[in-house]
Amino acid sequence: GPEYWDGLGGNGGVPKPKFIRLKALSGVFKNLLIVNAPVHCFSVSGSNNLVISGVTVDNRGPKQSLGHNTDAFDVSSTQVTITGCTVYNQDDCLAVNNGSGIKFLSNSCDGGHGISIGSVKAGGKVTDVKVSDCSISNSDNGARIKVYNDATNALVDNITYQNIALSNIAKQGIVIRQDYRNGGPTGTPGTGGPITNVVMNNIHGTVAKNAQPVFILCGNCSGFNFSAIAITGGKASSCTGISPKPEGC
């Protein structure tokens, strides 16, 4: 892994192989230790009724700061459950880019970009996702939903994060944005990928002094239901483009 890490990930530099591809599979994949994946670790696509459990992804060690795009689980599938896993990486712990019926249960994430829906691009649809009983530590973000600002014919609907423990989050504890762009957000949210029916329940813990507990930037969002939001530290939250403003804003 470290021999591939050049700070560019999948955006350039030396070619980097995705480590494990699970394509059009069902069944159980369990009890595996992966050390220093070159780039995306698990790429799960076109699968149905798949369970991944007891997996550890460990990207700690020399040159770890140069690891980039080292997502632990990239999912574009239906009815996938990921449970009892431990991740140390430099990017998303989970990234659901397309699909439905995804469950991410009792997992631990350290050092990356958080547990993410997206990034959702044009034509992407992510529905019926449940993230429960997870911890996120020493990461840029906690619970995260991101849609490209120029997405069209896209949808994020019926997303639940519950019982999430945060520790030392550098940017945002909860972040929902429709201005995403690879290389940096635009600051102007799009409207072609609505985010609807989002539940955040019992999201608690700490963010760093320059972070925000909650950040929302929406152009087309509705049906947000937040409860028991107890995120301490950092600066004031910012919530734009959603009415009524949910708890924590």
Side-chain angles (χ1 to χ4, degrees):
E3 297 303 315
Y4 290 93
W5 293 346
D6 54 12
L8 298 175
N11 299 318
V14 299
K16 304 169 185 73
K18 294 186 178 182
F19 199 67
I20 296 175
R21 294 180 184 267
L22 304 179
K23 186 174 182 179
L25 296 179
S26 61
V28 179
F29 191 98
K30 64 180 181 179
N31 300 337
L32 185 66
L33 168 63
I34 300 165
V35 178
N36 295 339
V39 67
H40 306 87
C41 188
F42 282 87
S43 177
V44 185
S45 62
S47 295
N48 184 53
N49 292 320
L50 177 67
V51 176
I52 301 172
S53 68
V55 168
T56 296
V57 177
D58 191 347
N59 280 0
R60 295 174 294 181
K63 295 179 65 176
Q64 68 182 51
S65 64
L66 294 177
H68 191 65
N69 298 136
T70 56
D71 299 14
F73 302 99
D74 274 357
V75 179
S76 295
S77 296
T78 59
Q79 304 301 325
V80 172
T81 297
I82 301 170
T83 183
C85 297
T86 300
V87 173
Y88 303 93
N89 73 336
Q90 303 94 333
D91 212 298
D92 291 324
C93 187
L94 169 73
V96 182
N97 302 306
N98 213 344
S100 64
I102 313 300
K103 295 180 181 179
F104 195 71
L105 311 175
S106 302
N107 301 297
S108 173
C109 306
D110 192 297
H113 291 175
I115 299 174
S116 300
I117 306 301
S119 50
V120 177
K121 299 181 179 181
K125 293 178 173 58
V126 178
T127 62
D128 304 320
V129 177
K130 181 179 181 180
V131 178
S132 183
D133 302 296
C134 294
S135 65
I136 307 169
S137 304
N138 307 312
S139 299
D140 277 359
N141 310 287
R144 187 184 193 196
I145 301 175
K146 46 181 176 170
V147 175
Y148 269 81
N149 70 307
D150 60 354
T152 56
N153 191 33
L155 175 67
V156 175
D157 180 62
N158 193 24
I159 310 298
T160 297
Y161 287 81
Q162 66 181 24
N163 304 330
I164 308 298
L166 308 177
S167 177
N168 192 32
I169 302 301
K171 293 182 178 179
Q172 289 109 11
I174 296 171
V175 53
I176 301 174
R177 63 191 320 151
Q178 290 176 308
D179 69 332
Y180 188 79
R181 182 180 60 185
N182 193 21
T186 67
T188 303
T191 60
I195 301 173
T196 57
N197 301 313
V198 175
V199 172
M200 297 275 178
N201 177 50
N202 190 26
I203 315 298
H204 60 277
T206 62
V207 298
K209 65 178 182 179
N210 291 320
Q212 293 174 292
V214 180
F215 178 86
I216 298 173
L217 181 58
C218 278
N220 185 1
C221 297
S222 62
F224 286 13
N225 182 5
F226 291 14
S227 59
I229 307 299
I231 304 172
T232 60
K235 304 181 294 185
S237 295
S238 173
C239 302
T240 304
I242 182 67
S243 181
K245 291 185 177 181
E247 181 178 320
C249 287

